[in-house]
Amino acid sequence: NAGVTQTPKFQVLKTGQSMTLQCAQDMNHEYMSWYRQDPGMGLRLIHYSVGAGITDQGEVPNGYNVSRSTTEDFPLRLLSAAPSQTSVYFCASSLTGQLYEQYFGPGTRLTVT
Amino acid sequence: RKEVEQDPGPFNVPEGATVAFNCTYSNSASQSFFWYRQDCRKEPKLLMSVYSSGNEDGRFTAQLNRASQYISLLIRDSKLSDSATYLCVVNGRDRDDKIIFGKGTRLHILP
């Protein structure tokens, strides 16, 4: 099993550009989520999904969209990048949301200039 | 009260010492609790789950105090390799509840 994979590992965007961060898992996990991590702020939940076709907002959803058309994939879209979105983005999955260990991808380091 | 709170540290501890830190949570209905470890510039990884009766894994002991709504992590005989940030995670009761991470406690083990 590859676990949770994220692409790209690094990305530099200009303000106003859009892009999609990819996340995939091969563990048949129902629950997937996106976090951003900034110094001093810890992990903040952006969006999450409890299964294919179901998504919900987390703590900091503005400026981001998600969809979950398959169990395996959970892409995060930045609609119009802003410097405030410079961060490290982690995707995570677990068997179900609440009771089980979350597995994290290696992260995407995004810089918006 | 914030949903999950941790002392950010850093805790600077000599090698071989015992160190403990707590994590408080506000939702009394929380059902499951975890400690994660995050190394610098890496993703968080599960260290251990926290069970109601407390649990131990080698040099690590986790405890849950429901009455006072906190979990704790004790590290005995600390090693240089224990230097990391330790994140607590508190999950709600319902399937669709959000999973809440603490901001983490930084631990530096000094040679």
PDB file of all heavy atoms in Angstrom, chain B residues 56-71:
ATOM      1  N   GLU B  56       0.092   2.009  28.195  1.00  0.00           N
ATOM      2  CA  GLU B  56       1.541   2.186  28.194  1.00  0.00           C
ATOM      3  C   GLU B  56       2.108   1.508  26.947  1.00  0.00           C
ATOM      4  O   GLU B  56       1.635   0.457  26.529  1.00  0.00           O
ATOM      5  CB  GLU B  56       2.102   1.516  29.458  1.00  0.00           C
ATOM      6  CG  GLU B  56       3.531   1.835  29.781  1.00  0.00           C
ATOM      7  CD  GLU B  56       3.936   1.279  31.133  1.00  0.00           C
ATOM      8  OE1 GLU B  56       3.281   1.629  32.139  1.00  0.00           O
ATOM      9  OE2 GLU B  56       4.871   0.471  31.171  1.00  0.00           O
ATOM     10  N   ASP B  57       3.118   2.148  26.378  1.00  0.00           N
ATOM     11  CA  ASP B  57       3.808   1.552  25.238  1.00  0.00           C
ATOM     12  C   ASP B  57       5.290   1.841  25.415  1.00  0.00           C
ATOM     13  O   ASP B  57       5.754   2.934  25.088  1.00  0.00           O
ATOM     14  CB  ASP B  57       3.284   2.144  23.926  1.00  0.00           C
ATOM     15  CG  ASP B  57       3.925   1.507  22.717  1.00  0.00           C
ATOM     16  OD1 ASP B  57       4.742   0.574  22.871  1.00  0.00           O
ATOM     17  OD2 ASP B  57       3.621   1.940  21.590  1.00  0.00           O
ATOM     18  N   GLY B  58       5.977   0.900  26.003  1.00  0.00           N
ATOM     19  CA  GLY B  58       7.397   1.100  26.259  1.00  0.00           C
ATOM     20  C   GLY B  58       7.611   2.234  27.247  1.00  0.00           C
ATOM     21  O   GLY B  58       7.119   2.197  28.374  1.00  0.00           O
ATOM     22  N   ARG B  59       8.311   3.261  26.825  1.00  0.00           N
ATOM     23  CA  ARG B  59       8.614   4.388  27.716  1.00  0.00           C
ATOM     24  C   ARG B  59       7.487   5.421  27.764  1.00  0.00           C
ATOM     25  O   ARG B  59       7.601   6.399  28.504  1.00  0.00           O
ATOM     26  CB  ARG B  59       9.897   5.071  27.218  1.00  0.00           C
ATOM     27  CG  ARG B  59      11.127   4.186  27.233  1.00  0.00           C
ATOM     28  CD  ARG B  59      12.372   4.928  26.751  1.00  0.00           C
ATOM     29  NE  ARG B  59      12.304   5.269  25.331  1.00  0.00           N
ATOM     30  CZ  ARG B  59      12.128   6.502  24.876  1.00  0.00           C
ATOM     31  NH1 ARG B  59      12.003   7.514  25.727  1.00  0.00           N
ATOM     32  NH2 ARG B  59      12.099   6.736  23.576  1.00  0.00           N
ATOM     33  N   PHE B  60       6.451   5.201  27.021  1.00  0.00           N
ATOM     34  CA  PHE B  60       5.366   6.174  26.906  1.00  0.00           C
ATOM     35  C   PHE B  60       4.124   5.682  27.638  1.00  0.00           C
ATOM     36  O   PHE B  60       3.721   4.535  27.488  1.00  0.00           O
ATOM     37  CB  PHE B  60       5.027   6.403  25.430  1.00  0.00           C
ATOM     38  CG  PHE B  60       6.157   6.985  24.625  1.00  0.00           C
ATOM     39  CD1 PHE B  60       7.152   6.167  24.102  1.00  0.00           C
ATOM     40  CD2 PHE B  60       6.241   8.339  24.401  1.00  0.00           C
ATOM     41  CE1 PHE B  60       8.204   6.697  23.377  1.00  0.00           C
ATOM     42  CE2 PHE B  60       7.296   8.882  23.671  1.00  0.00           C
ATOM     43  CZ  PHE B  60       8.274   8.058  23.158  1.00  0.00           C
ATOM     44  N   THR B  61       3.526   6.593  28.413  1.00  0.00           N
ATOM     45  CA  THR B  61       2.285   6.287  29.114  1.00  0.00           C
ATOM     46  C   THR B  61       1.283   7.386  28.835  1.00  0.00           C
ATOM     47  O   THR B  61       1.605   8.576  28.970  1.00  0.00           O
ATOM     48  CB  THR B  61       2.509   6.183  30.636  1.00  0.00           C
ATOM     49  OG1 THR B  61       3.456   5.150  30.901  1.00  0.00           O
ATOM     50  CG2 THR B  61       1.206   5.887  31.358  1.00  0.00           C
ATOM     51  N   ALA B  62       0.088   6.993  28.455  1.00  0.00           N
ATOM     52  CA  ALA B  62      -0.984   7.950  28.203  1.00  0.00           C
ATOM     53  C   ALA B  62      -2.095   7.726  29.209  1.00  0.00           C
ATOM     54  O   ALA B  62      -2.409   6.598  29.560  1.00  0.00           O
ATOM     55  CB  ALA B  62      -1.518   7.784  26.784  1.00  0.00           C
ATOM     56  N   GLN B  63      -2.655   8.827  29.678  1.00  0.00           N
ATOM     57  CA  GLN B  63      -3.742   8.743  30.649  1.00  0.00           C
ATOM     58  C   GLN B  63      -4.873   9.651  30.204  1.00  0.00           C
ATOM     59  O   GLN B  63      -4.645  10.676  29.546  1.00  0.00           O
ATOM     60  CB  GLN B  63      -3.271   9.223  32.026  1.00  0.00           C
ATOM     61  CG  GLN B  63      -2.149   8.418  32.638  1.00  0.00           C
ATOM     62  CD  GLN B  63      -2.658   7.220  33.421  1.00  0.00           C
ATOM     63  OE1 GLN B  63      -3.859   6.993  33.501  1.00  0.00           O
ATOM     64  NE2 GLN B  63      -1.753   6.459  33.992  1.00  0.00           N
ATOM     65  N   LEU B  64      -6.081   9.272  30.603  1.00  0.00           N
ATOM     66  CA  LEU B  64      -7.266  10.078  30.336  1.00  0.00           C
ATOM     67  C   LEU B  64      -7.939  10.399  31.662  1.00  0.00           C
ATOM     68  O   LEU B  64      -8.155   9.503  32.478  1.00  0.00           O
ATOM     69  CB  LEU B  64      -8.240   9.312  29.439  1.00  0.00           C
ATOM     70  CG  LEU B  64      -9.659   9.860  29.306  1.00  0.00           C
ATOM     71  CD1 LEU B  64      -9.662  11.237  28.653  1.00  0.00           C
ATOM     72  CD2 LEU B  64     -10.529   8.893  28.520  1.00  0.00           C
ATOM     73  N   ASN B  65      -8.249  11.654  31.881  1.00  0.00           N
ATOM     74  CA  ASN B  65      -8.990  12.076  33.066  1.00  0.00           C
ATOM     75  C   ASN B  65     -10.268  12.743  32.588  1.00  0.00           C
ATOM     76  O   ASN B  65     -10.264  13.919  32.215  1.00  0.00           O
ATOM     77  CB  ASN B  65      -8.150  13.029  33.917  1.00  0.00           C
ATOM     78  CG  ASN B  65      -8.825  13.389  35.225  1.00  0.00           C
ATOM     79  OD1 ASN B  65     -10.028  13.663  35.261  1.00  0.00           O
ATOM     80  ND2 ASN B  65      -8.059  13.403  36.302  1.00  0.00           N
ATOM     81  N   ARG B  66     -11.348  11.961  32.574  1.00  0.00           N
ATOM     82  CA  ARG B  66     -12.609  12.494  32.039  1.00  0.00           C
ATOM     83  C   ARG B  66     -13.205  13.555  32.960  1.00  0.00           C
ATOM     84  O   ARG B  66     -13.815  14.516  32.505  1.00  0.00           O
ATOM     85  CB  ARG B  66     -13.622  11.360  31.850  1.00  0.00           C
ATOM     86  CG  ARG B  66     -13.377  10.526  30.613  1.00  0.00           C
ATOM     87  CD  ARG B  66     -14.613   9.708  30.259  1.00  0.00           C
ATOM     88  NE  ARG B  66     -14.370   8.843  29.113  1.00  0.00           N
ATOM     89  CZ  ARG B  66     -14.506   9.233  27.855  1.00  0.00           C
ATOM     90  NH1 ARG B  66     -14.878  10.466  27.584  1.00  0.00           N
ATOM     91  NH2 ARG B  66     -14.290   8.388  26.868  1.00  0.00           N
ATOM     92  N   ALA B  67     -13.045  13.377  34.244  1.00  0.00           N
ATOM     93  CA  ALA B  67     -13.649  14.322  35.195  1.00  0.00           C
ATOM     94  C   ALA B  67     -13.084  15.720  34.989  1.00  0.00           C
ATOM     95  O   ALA B  67     -13.812  16.718  35.012  1.00  0.00           O
ATOM     96  CB  ALA B  67     -13.409  13.843  36.617  1.00  0.00           C
ATOM     97  N   SER B  68     -11.776  15.797  34.780  1.00  0.00           N
ATOM     98  CA  SER B  68     -11.134  17.095  34.589  1.00  0.00           C
ATOM     99  C   SER B  68     -10.911  17.423  33.121  1.00  0.00           C
ATOM    100  O   SER B  68     -10.359  18.464  32.793  1.00  0.00           O
ATOM    101  CB  SER B  68      -9.788  17.137  35.328  1.00  0.00           C
ATOM    102  OG  SER B  68      -9.985  16.929  36.706  1.00  0.00           O
ATOM    103  N   GLN B  69     -11.302  16.503  32.255  1.00  0.00           N
ATOM    104  CA  GLN B  69     -11.241  16.702  30.800  1.00  0.00           C
ATOM    105  C   GLN B  69      -9.836  17.031  30.314  1.00  0.00           C
ATOM    106  O   GLN B  69      -9.586  18.090  29.720  1.00  0.00           O
ATOM    107  CB  GLN B  69     -12.265  17.757  30.349  1.00  0.00           C
ATOM    108  CG  GLN B  69     -13.686  17.296  30.553  1.00  0.00           C
ATOM    109  CD  GLN B  69     -14.736  18.293  30.075  1.00  0.00           C
ATOM    110  OE1 GLN B  69     -15.850  18.313  30.572  1.00  0.00           O
ATOM    111  NE2 GLN B  69     -14.403  19.130  29.126  1.00  0.00           N
ATOM    112  N   TYR B  70      -8.935  16.112  30.599  1.00  0.00           N
ATOM    113  CA  TYR B  70      -7.611  16.245  29.997  1.00  0.00           C
ATOM    114  C   TYR B  70      -7.021  14.871  29.752  1.00  0.00           C
ATOM    115  O   TYR B  70      -7.412  13.871  30.339  1.00  0.00           O
ATOM    116  CB  TYR B  70      -6.670  17.095  30.863  1.00  0.00           C
ATOM    117  CG  TYR B  70      -6.176  16.453  32.135  1.00  0.00           C
ATOM    118  CD1 TYR B  70      -5.022  15.668  32.137  1.00  0.00           C
ATOM    119  CD2 TYR B  70      -6.845  16.648  33.342  1.00  0.00           C
ATOM    120  CE1 TYR B  70      -4.558  15.088  33.307  1.00  0.00           C
ATOM    121  CE2 TYR B  70      -6.385  16.081  34.517  1.00  0.00           C
ATOM    122  CZ  TYR B  70      -5.244  15.297  34.485  1.00  0.00           C
ATOM    123  OH  TYR B  70      -4.792  14.736  35.652  1.00  0.00           O
ATOM    124  N   ILE B  71      -6.076  14.844  28.812  1.00  0.00           N
ATOM    125  CA  ILE B  71      -5.269  13.655  28.604  1.00  0.00           C
ATOM    126  C   ILE B  71      -3.817  14.039  28.857  1.00  0.00           C
ATOM    127  O   ILE B  71      -3.451  15.216  28.784  1.00  0.00           O
ATOM    128  CB  ILE B  71      -5.438  13.045  27.192  1.00  0.00           C
ATOM    129  CG1 ILE B  71      -4.990  14.030  26.100  1.00  0.00           C
ATOM    130  CG2 ILE B  71      -6.868  12.604  26.963  1.00  0.00           C
ATOM    131  CD1 ILE B  71      -4.962  13.419  24.706  1.00  0.00           C
TER     132      ILE B  71
END
